[in-house]
Amino acid sequence: MAPLDTGYVTHTLRLVDTYGNGVGPSADDHANLGAYLKAVREHKMLSVGQVVESTRIRRQHLVAIEDGDRSALPSRPFALGYVRSYARALGLDGDLAVARFKAEWPESTEPLRNPTGVEHDEAEPDARKPFLWAGVTVIVLALGAWNLAQRTLINDAPPASGLDPAVAAQPLTPPKGPMKLAAAEPAPQESTTPVPYITPGLAAPAAPAAKLDAGQTFAPTAPTAALPLNFTPKGAVFGYASGPIILQARKPASLVVRGADKTVYFARQLAAGEAFRAVIGKGLGAEVSDPSSFILYVANELKGPLVSPQTAIDKLAPPPVTVAATAPPAATAPPASAVPGR
């Protein structure tokens, strides 16, 4: 006997009745795949939420498959995967379900869509470009304005000295008359030499300090190799050509010579060996930055280093000795016994 001719069957879905609810719905009794899958789900008394938990497919995609809403599904490759997983979760043949889905919804040339179901607008990037370019332009203009403002403020700022620009631009002219300088300031703390450390118990006994008489402005010093007995020029000699007072610098130091009316007659930073020669009786005063840096010579003879930063030059030499004029003794008459002829 010839086999029974069942005709050409395009789609055959096999439903496995695992719940004992009967054979269940037939695929040929439903117009599309989505309606058939929904009928099978309801026959097995499964909710959409239960299918979502078993397949991990979003509810909106499962509902779109059952309703035949193609626009709510993602791109075709993802939709085919969802159909296969949904059919297998219901106990159906996933490959046959995919074949019927392809037959009902033939492949088109539309672009792939986002699998998450978010609508994608192709014109959105182009619409944002003008805003992006506008933002970049605003930032560039703001940076340029800030740099211009900074340069303007720097150019308009007054000089660091606090002088008016018009006054600072005028050429400097030498002052007329004697120049006045302020009093010399002591050396900064950083330039001083630290005191050497002396081990306790090994320090040599200190020599007794020399006592200065009232009004004395130099310390008497015995002649040594470093301090010659007589004045020896070791550099330029400033001041008067034949003055008896000589101040010689042992190391670089400043010297200012003023008159009785505070007029500055000499101001200079002397190098080691340079000297200044002064006269007596002019009311001159010497101001030095470091008294120990200057040696006093009177009439070319060593007297010792200075001990005061301000010294009256007239007091550096002893006053001249004056001898009072006396009348010659009166002649006395010889005694009578000494007169001849008596």
Side-chain angles (χ1 to χ4, degrees):
M1 177 183 295
L4 181 62
D5 185 8
T6 58
Y8 178 74
V9 180
T10 305
H11 306 290
T12 303
L13 299 180
R14 298 181 178 85
L15 175 61
V16 180
D17 184 12
T18 59
Y19 296 93
N21 296 332
V23 179
S26 174
D28 297 334
D29 297 336
H30 297 82
N32 53 56
L33 174 65
Y36 174 67
L37 294 177
K38 181 177 180 180
V40 174
R41 176 178 62 78
E42 293 176 349
H43 174 72
K44 292 188 175 185
M45 294 181 294
L46 296 176
S47 64
V48 178
Q50 292 175 335
V51 179
V52 169
E53 292 180 359
S54 62
T55 60
R56 301 298 180 183
I57 302 174
R58 291 190 176 185
R59 175 184 292 268
Q60 60 183 4
H61 294 159
L62 293 178
V63 174
I65 293 174
E66 291 181 352
D67 297 341
D69 186 5
R70 184 178 180 182
S71 62
L73 291 175
S75 300
R76 186 175 182 84
F78 294 97
L80 296 178
Y82 293 165
V83 170
R84 180 179 284 104
S85 299
Y86 191 6
R88 290 178 178 177
L90 297 178
L92 302 176
D93 191 339
D95 294 336
L96 294 178
V98 170
R100 182 168 179 177
F101 179 85
K102 291 181 178 180
E104 293 178 358
W105 291 346
E107 184 177 2
S108 61
T109 57
E110 63 177 351
L112 297 179
R113 286 177 288 178
N114 197 322
T116 60
V118 179
E119 294 185 359
H120 180 68
D121 188 2
E122 294 294 339
E124 184 177 356
D126 296 335
R128 293 181 179 179
K129 287 184 179 180
F131 297 99
L132 295 177
W133 283 112
V136 173
T137 304
V138 171
I139 294 175
V140 172
L141 293 178
L143 292 177
W146 183 82
N147 291 331
L148 180 61
Q150 292 295 324
R151 292 178 179 271
T152 303
L153 292 177
I154 293 175
N155 294 334
D156 294 343
S161 62
L163 298 178
D164 185 72
V167 177
Q170 296 179 359
L172 298 177
T173 56
K176 297 181 179 180
M179 180 179 60
K180 296 182 179 181
L181 299 179
E185 298 181 356
Q189 186 68 23
E190 292 78 9
S191 62
T192 58
T193 304
V195 179
Y197 176 78
I198 300 177
T199 305
L202 299 181
K211 295 184 179 180
L212 300 180
D213 298 335
Q216 190 171 0
T217 56
F218 62 92
T221 305
T224 61
L227 301 177
L229 179 61
N230 297 323
F231 170 68
T232 302
K234 297 181 181 180
V237 180
F238 305 94
Y240 297 86
S242 58
I245 305 300
I246 302 174
L247 297 176
Q248 187 177 26
R250 302 171 59 186
K251 55 184 179 180
S254 62
L255 171 63
V256 179
V257 179
R258 303 177 185 269
D261 57 351
K262 303 301 181 180
T263 302
V264 177
Y265 291 97
F266 179 80
R268 187 181 180 89
Q269 178 77 13
L270 298 182
E274 296 182 344
F276 179 83
R277 188 185 294 270
V279 296
I280 304 298
K282 300 293 185 179
L284 301 178
E287 298 179 3
V288 296
S289 59
D290 183 10
S292 61
S293 299
F294 287 88
I295 312 173
L296 171 64
Y297 290 91
V298 177
N300 294 335
E301 294 184 0
L302 174 67
K303 296 299 181 181
L306 296 181
V307 295
S308 176
Q310 297 183 356
T311 305
I313 294 180
D314 291 345
K315 295 182 180 181
L316 296 179
V321 178
T322 58
V323 180
T326 56
T332 56
S337 58
V339 177
R342 293 282 181 99

